[in-house]
Amino acid sequence: MTDTTTAQAAPKRSLTKTLELDTRLLGMIGAFAAVCIVFNLMTGGQFLTPRNIFNLTIQTVSVAIMATGMVFVIVTRHIDLSVGSVLATCSAIMAMTQTVVLPEGLGLGLGHPLTPWLTIIVGVIAGAVIGGFHGWLVGYMGIPAFIVTLGGLLVWRNIAWYITNGQTIGPLDPTFQNFGGIGGTLGSTGSWIVAALATAAAVAALFSARRNKVAHGQTPKPLWAELTMSGIIAAAIFGFVGILNAYQVPERVLERDFAARGETMPDGFTAAYGLPISVLLLAAIAIAMTVIAKRTRLGRYIFATGGNPDAAALSGIDTRFLTVKVFAIMGVLCALSAVVASARLSFHSNDIGTLDELRVIAAAVIGGTALAGGIGTIHGAILGALIMQSLQSGMAMVGVDAPFQNIVVGAVLVLAVLIDIIYRKRTGG
Amino acid sequence: MTPLVEMKDISIAFGGVQAVNRVSIDLYPGEVVGLLGHNGAGKSTLIKILSGAYKADSGEIRVDGKPVSITSPRDARAAGIETIYQTLALADNLDATANLFLGREIVTGTGMLNDAKMEAETRKIMARLNPNFRKLQEPVSALSGGQRQSVAIARAVYFNARILIMDEPTAALGVHETKMVADLIQELKAQGLGIFLISHDTREMMELCDRVSVMKNGELIATERVEDVTEDDILSMIIMGKKPEKAA
Ligand SMILES: Nc1ncnc2c1ncn2[C@@H]1O[C@H](COP(=O)(O)OP(=O)(O)OP(=O)(O)O)[C@@H](O)[C@H]1O
Ligand SMILES: [Mg+2]
């Protein structure tokens, strides 16, 4: 008993430990920064322009949304190879809903205020049902997820084809299209307001967690560490929004908009795109998924099951139903990705989401999700998606051939797993 | 006095293997009953039926004299039965707190996990069971065998188990930690818990148990009070599968 008090007295702690920063996350941020800097040098400063960063951001959203769900799937020791095809089926269903079913069935045409919302609800339900069905086959029927979703990869891609008869469906509802990217942005003022609100919420969450710790007699981080973290968060949010706000809407686009409203553009008028709505959607999903992972029983059970399925079952967790829930969440996220992806194109096409399964799994794995199960983070997966997308767009900008781009992407996936294995051996994690 | 637990005529088979064959055992409050037998005798299988991990093919379980149906670990826990498994049932990637509360988390009014509260509770119970335990925030994969064992025991103690099942709790432990577990068994027994203890260490069993049941090939050979038999008697029961000839 006596030695416990002395042993507890202030062991030396490193800076990252005091700030409770994840060294792995720092490594990924480092890798991302390296990719950006290299491409920026190779393109003569073209890579890190507000315009390219804006494009990179909206290109990443669809894969990033699905990657957050793939974290749960891989953490529970499963895999989902069907996400790109499920995305296509959801996209096809939503395209038909807004262009055929709603206009002909309910008399709601494109542009009706209810159209986008009914469409999204239908898509999300479809995604949940498809995912839940996969989960049922895996959890209750005992078919390995690899097989169920490998079959699903083929099945849903071609069900999508039948839904639209192989046709491209468009244009989609104008409000619906706002979820896609360049058309739906908040503008400069709106973006600054969102940045301020987000920062306030993040700092409030930090300090509320601190109060809760103190209330239960635990020693919180030193106040300066908390303030430093708050500073880093604020700088990151405002920096990001600042960059997006620096991307000006081209003059001819503005002129066209004014002309469409029957006005003439005042001299020297400028406007910025600001935050895309799709990025807000991703942020909302990221927060929701992080809360599920860290703060709810569902998340706790997902991680416990991944760490030791037997222990989870013996603790009274219904691991079979849990599998259904995990795959249903994945399905819902495929549907939301389908909204973003088809809205960005402004139409549904047959090949939408092709090869996304590779990108999504790569994003989750590069982001630190362990294929052995039990370990993974939502923010890591999003960062992984960003790294993948940066690599791909960077190579395209530098003029690398498409086949070679794919070779690099495939190699990076394998390399990421290797680095992960070595890292875990070193840290014993 | 009614027994805390009665298992009557329990049988279960896996494919062709009759793992447990018409076994009856009981347990009284404040009592430690030991299960002995060779590898594969059916000890773990028998107690897994009580803890809800397996469902018996036939037989009856009574708790406090009332028949109960235990079809899942949840049912067992609801009946006050806690189990410390031979293969420590801990999620290695989670910390001690998450493991202790697994399946029974404390949540806030909004349904969110109350980690700070759970950690504070874990700190309290560990201070009592294993004062040297400090690694509350590390994944339990970073813990020693004894530390992991104390997490498993803390889980049973915290939730006020009335019936505790310990399947080879000291198999992976050093001398010091084994002593700690033995002391704990004495303390829990004094509090009136009933304990089923499985171990291959006959001497340890003679010290800790009030009664011992010997199994062989899925069958119960005999149940004896420890003061009525010698260690040699028990060894011969384990090996020969026969009750010792009593000197009249
Ligand atoms: N899930 C299972 N499936 C098939 N057979 C099983 C299963 N569990 C146990 N058995 C068989 O049942 C018999 C009893 O096993 P059990 O684990 O109960 O033995 P034990 O007495 O606990 O042995 P040990 O001392 O080695 O732990 C063995 O023949 C074993 O192979
Ligand atoms: Mg056993």
Side-chain angles (χ1 to χ4, degrees):
Chain A
M1 274 305 267
T2 43
D3 66 350
T4 48
T5 42
T6 46
Q8 252 170 358
K12 268 222 169 90
R13 314 188 78 191
S14 66
L15 184 66
T16 50
K17 262 218 164 136
T18 314
L19 287 172
E20 288 177 25
L21 279 178
D22 181 355
T23 48
R24 217 200 134 82
L25 180 67
L26 290 179
M28 280 189 283
I29 293 175
F32 177 54
V35 167
C36 291
I37 290 166
V38 167
F39 280 125
N40 201 43
L41 291 175
M42 288 172 75
T43 55
Q46 287 302 297
F47 192 77
L48 289 180
T49 55
R51 173 161 179 263
N52 194 48
I53 290 173
F54 181 93
N55 285 331
L56 206 60
T57 310
I58 58 176
Q59 284 161 358
T60 306
V61 172
S62 166
V63 165
I65 288 175
M66 289 190 283
T68 65
M70 191 61 80
V71 172
F72 285 0
V73 172
I74 298 180
V75 162
T76 50
R77 303 189 178 187
H78 298 302
I79 194 82
D80 194 336
L81 302 173
S82 69
V83 291
S85 300
V86 174
L87 181 152
T89 294
C90 292
S91 168
I93 290 174
M94 288 190 287
M96 293 311 275
T97 304
Q98 58 189 298
T99 58
V100 179
V101 179
L102 291 180
E104 287 173 13
L106 295 175
L108 305 178
L110 286 186
H112 189 283
L114 282 178
T115 298
W117 308 110
L118 289 175
T119 301
I120 291 172
I121 289 170
V122 168
V124 164
I125 291 172
V129 169
I130 295 171
F133 177 58
H134 286 168
W136 176 75
L137 288 174
V138 175
Y140 286 87
M141 299 294 107
I143 312 171
F146 179 82
I147 296 300
V148 169
T149 59
L150 184 61
L153 169 75
L154 224 59
V155 170
W156 300 114
R157 170 68 53 198
N158 292 289
I159 285 182
W161 193 91
Y162 275 110
I163 292 172
T164 60
N165 255 322
Q167 286 173 315
T168 296
I169 307 290
L172 302 174
D173 178 85
T175 314
F176 185 86
Q177 283 190 35
N178 281 344
F179 286 96
I182 198 127
T185 56
L186 295 185
S188 165
T189 319
S191 301
W192 287 126
I193 291 172
V194 169
L197 291 177
T199 306
V203 172
L206 266 186
F207 279 86
S208 131
R210 180 189 173 86
R211 264 196 310 280
N212 197 14
K213 272 194 171 180
V214 176
H216 289 95
Q218 292 160 32
T219 23
K221 293 183 250 186
L223 195 59
W224 68 261
E226 217 90 60
L227 290 172
T228 310
M229 266 320 284
S230 306
I232 293 174
I233 290 170
I237 294 176
F238 275 92
F240 178 61
V241 168
I243 291 170
L244 294 183
N245 273 344
Y247 180 29
Q248 300 287 331
V249 181
E251 209 169 309
R252 61 188 164 74
V253 175
L254 287 174
E255 272 169 5
R256 199 179 59 207
D257 287 355
F258 273 94
R261 277 177 272 145
E263 300 164 21
T264 44
M265 192 171 86
D267 255 358
F269 180 87
T270 61
Y273 282 110
L275 267 177
I277 290 170
S278 60
V279 171
L280 285 188
L281 179 66
L282 171 62
I285 289 170
I287 291 168
M289 291 292 282
T290 304
V291 168
I292 291 176
K294 301 229 147 127
R295 291 271 159 269
T296 67
R297 286 201 164 126
L298 175 61
R300 181 64 46 93
Y301 297 169
I302 286 171
F303 281 84
T305 303
N308 186 345
D310 296 333
L314 291 172
S315 300
I317 295 168
D318 186 346
T319 52
R320 295 194 288 182
F321 189 44
L322 188 77
T323 308
V324 174
K325 288 186 202 162
V326 166
F327 278 89
I329 291 173
M330 185 73 250
V332 167
L333 293 170
C334 288
L336 293 173
S337 280
V339 173
V340 173
S342 63
R344 193 159 83 85
L345 295 173
S346 79
F347 53 82
H348 163 82
S349 75
N350 267 319
D351 63 347
I352 195 166
T354 304
L355 282 186
D356 270 5
E357 52 282 341
L358 182 95
R359 298 193 189 100
V360 169
I361 292 169
V365 170
I366 290 173
T369 312
L371 286 164
I375 294 167
T377 60
I378 303 298
H379 57 257
I382 293 174
L383 194 53
L386 203 52
I387 292 174
M388 290 289 293
Q389 189 58 50
S390 307
L391 263 178
Q392 222 162 2
S393 340
M395 285 189 294
M397 283 177 85
V398 177
V400 177
D401 310 338
F404 193 70
Q405 284 180 33
N406 285 336
I407 291 174
V408 172
V409 169
V412 165
L413 171 59
V414 177
L415 193 69
V417 175
L418 178 65
I419 292 172
D420 184 61
I421 290 171
I422 295 169
Y423 174 85
R424 283 188 212 287
K425 264 194 198 142
R426 288 258 172 89
T427 58
Chain B
M1 191 161 62
T2 44
L4 207 47
V5 186
E6 292 164 90
M7 296 181 80
K8 285 186 178 164
D9 281 336
I10 303 286
S11 297
I12 187 173
F14 297 105
V17 183
Q18 191 68 40
V20 175
N21 192 6
R22 299 184 64 99
V23 172
S24 299
I25 51 172
D26 55 9
L27 177 69
Y28 288 84
E31 188 187 37
V32 180
V33 170
L35 286 179
L36 283 155
H38 273 309
N39 294 116
K43 309 178 295 290
S44 296
T45 307
L46 179 66
I47 58 94
K48 277 186 179 167
I49 290 169
L50 184 58
S51 63
Y54 296 151
K55 201 175 166 331
D57 296 336
S58 62
E60 190 190 27
I61 299 174
R62 287 167 182 260
V63 173
D64 295 324
K66 288 188 269 307
V68 289
S69 146
I70 295 176
T71 55
S72 73
R74 240 171 231 278
D75 294 341
R77 285 179 162 192
I81 301 167
E82 290 285 336
T83 311
I84 293 155
Y85 291 97
Q86 186 169 7
T87 51
L88 280 177
L90 299 177
D92 275 344
N93 55 332
L94 301 182
D95 61 17
T97 305
N99 270 291
L100 201 153
F101 285 92
L102 192 57
R104 285 177 291 200
E105 292 76 9
I106 300 177
V107 291
T108 62
T110 51
M112 297 285 140
L113 296 177
N114 193 341
D115 277 320
K117 174 94 194 280
M118 288 192 274
E119 197 184 313
E121 293 293 308
T122 308
R123 209 175 283 279
K124 260 189 256 167
I125 183 104
M126 291 315 275
R128 205 182 105 202
L129 297 180
N130 185 356
N132 294 320
F133 192 92
R134 245 166 283 114
K135 293 186 175 171
L136 280 162
Q137 276 162 352
E138 274 164 72
V140 296
S141 57
L143 305 185
S144 74
Q147 289 169 330
R148 289 161 60 86
Q149 193 62 259
S150 52
V151 173
I153 296 175
R155 173 154 69 181
V157 175
Y158 181 81
F159 288 101
N160 298 317
R162 297 168 55 232
I163 300 150
L164 188 58
I165 300 169
M166 301 172 105
D167 194 349
E168 306 198 22
T170 57
L173 302 190
V175 182
H176 179 75
E177 289 159 323
T178 302
K179 172 84 167 60
M180 186 196 91
V181 172
D183 290 347
L184 198 63
I185 290 175
Q186 297 295 357
E187 189 195 322
L188 297 175
K189 178 180 141 108
Q191 290 174 14
L193 273 80
I195 300 174
F196 277 124
L197 181 64
I198 298 179
S199 167
H200 286 284
D201 185 340
T202 317
R203 177 160 305 145
E204 182 188 54
M205 292 291 259
M206 295 292 282
E207 278 168 23
L208 288 173
C209 299
D210 300 289
R211 289 185 293 154
V212 289
S213 294
V214 178
M215 289 181 72
K216 189 176 165 87
N217 299 333
E219 305 201 4
L220 181 70
I221 303 303
T223 302
E224 300 285 348
R225 305 203 64 79
V226 287
E227 55 270 24
D228 298 344
V229 285
T230 63
E231 212 180 310
D232 285 343
D233 292 338
I234 295 192
L235 282 173
S236 74
M237 277 159 74
I238 294 172
I239 297 162
M240 322 274 277
K242 278 197 311 227
K243 278 176 103 166
E245 303 294 327
K246 286 249 171 66

